[in-house]
Amino acid sequence: MERLPCAYAYHRVIYDDGGSPEDYIFLDVNSAFEEMTGFKKEDILGKRATEVLPGLREGNFDWVDFYGRLTRSGREEEFVQYADAGWKEDRAP
């Protein structure tokens, strides 16, 4: 994972009582993820995505729903999606 050229994050999805995805927790990220997002591994591991990115579910793309559906299906999927929030500028070194 560390040697991958693309940003990679490993998550655990959290589901509500009805089985719908409500959040996910960062379990691991690679250095490409840190470089691309501006987040440092030690600052986000073990935290909920909505804690790290408070407006995460309000954008044009619902990352929580996407990862929840992907986890349930067991399929592999590759995609490109650009974040629509201004969070990187606030975190850039």
Side-chain angles (χ1 to χ4, degrees):
M1 178 175 105
E2 186 56 40
R3 294 184 184 151
L4 291 173
C6 299
Y8 181 86
Y10 182 58
H11 309 111
R12 180 179 49 155
V13 177
I14 301 169
Y15 296 92
D16 65 17
D17 292 336
S20 296
E22 67 178 21
D23 212 334
Y24 58 87
I25 295 175
F26 288 96
L27 299 178
D28 202 1
V29 299
N30 66 0
S31 57
F33 178 92
E34 290 181 295
E35 184 177 322
M36 184 177 285
T37 65
F39 290 112
K40 296 296 177 199
K41 180 186 281 195
E42 61 269 10
D43 294 336
I44 65 171
L45 294 189
K47 291 185 179 177
R48 288 177 174 246
T50 55
E51 179 183 356
V52 174
L53 296 162
L56 180 67
R57 300 209 72 183
E58 298 166 11
N60 295 328
F61 183 81
D62 189 342
W63 295 88
V64 174
D65 183 62
F66 175 79
Y67 288 135
R69 287 185 293 110
L70 191 62
T71 300
R72 293 267 184 194
S73 74
R75 293 185 331 252
E76 289 184 24
E77 189 166 331
E78 189 173 319
F79 69 102
V80 174
Q81 177 63 40
Y82 296 95
D84 53 2
W87 49 265
K88 184 173 181 191
E89 292 78 21
D90 296 335
R91 299 199 182 334

